[in-house]
Amino acid sequence: MNILRQQLRSSATNSRAFANGAIRAQEQARGIATRPKSFQLNTGASIPAIGFGTFQDPDAQEDAVSRALKAGLRLIDTARVYDVEKQVGRGIKGSGVPREEIFLGTKLWCNNFHPDDVEKALDESLEDLDTPYVDLLMMHYPCTFARGEDRFPRDSNGKMILGETSFVDTWKAMEKLVKTGKTKAIGVSNFSKGELETIIRECHVVPAVHQMEVHPYLQQKAFNEWLRSQGIHVVQFSPLGNMNDFYRSTGWSKEVSHMMRVIDQPLLQELGRKYGKSAVQIVLAWGINNGRSVIPKSTIDWQIKENVESDFELDAGDMKAIETLDIKARFNDPSLDYQWRLYSDLEGIEGTKDGKTH
């Protein structure tokens, strides 16, 4: 870990933009083809292997979502707290892709976790997304904030004010929404194993999806195996690890987020040359080959195209080699800001810093 922390950061653009012509030629020579892969949820529905994340860049999302769909992506991930649902909805309409061909997921934010607020919050998301239903509704975090319009309610000392209900109460309200048809499936994000066990034990519906941070630096093998055993599909957010500058600029940024970016790892660069792909594509393919969906984000055409072409088979030996990059480095951990010990029984919770996200 210490050695990796000392490695210099590369520029924000170099790694993704190398040797595109050579990559295409090598790809053709090896006969590597993109597979339009999908996975089956415990509801029976299919979820695409590669999706499109909409965190950040609100002004660019309408056009980016439209272009992503036109490029062939069919999984769109968003959230109420991202403040992009209107743009996402317009992007979907502008793409010309029929709504029934798109898997659309959004997330409830923590100030709407009171059972009496859940359906109203979903209705507001549906209105902004301009759709009668979402394919997946998730709880964004397990912690409940105080009810009200303020998404980040704080006391006079700047500390987050927690709500009076639990994630179990929220989940039971979400279970009822499936029967209304307003959401086809329900899931969670950023939960610990123990929190998921509580839902399974105390509620009726097993989550269809757990969206969580997974990348070569944070592989969480045992947790992923347990989720698979429970029939819970994993969607990887931040599948490229610390490539996003957010993790270096947020108030609770961890020291480890400043280490060498995942995609700059020599091993991944070498594998990229072997397969005629970029390191980004190797990382995304690694996630898919492990049976998970990935939701990289980009508003740039060539990067979107690169992401679309990231579903291909990696040799077993290369998959094994990527396992050596696991250093249990978790970049997303606003525990002290949210006044909730997130990921309490999972790997990579060391080094959490106090500070504000917003």
Side-chain angles (χ1 to χ4, degrees), residues 218 254 328-331 333 343 346-350 352:
L218 182 68
K254 298 167 72 172
K328 301 174 177 55
R330 184 182 297 278
F331 304 121
D333 192 353
Y343 323 116
L346 302 179
E347 298 171 336
I349 61 174
E350 301 81 9
T352 304

Side-chain angles (χ1 to χ4, degrees), residues 41-57:
L41 301 179
N42 60 20
T43 62
S46 292
I47 183 170
I50 302 178
F52 185 78
T54 61
F55 176 53
Q56 300 176 307
D57 305 315

Side-chain angles (χ1 to χ4, degrees), residues 118-136:
V118 170
E119 185 167 13
K120 179 177 179 291
L122 175 57
D123 287 341
E124 291 173 350
S125 287
L126 294 177
E127 181 179 359
D128 284 353
L129 289 164
D130 194 14
T131 182
Y133 70 94
V134 289
D135 297 273
L136 176 65

Side-chain angles (χ1 to χ4, degrees), residues 33 89 103 143 230 238 282 295 356:
F103 191 103
C143 42
Q230 301 300 310
S238 295
I282 296 296
I295 47 170
K356 294 182 181 179

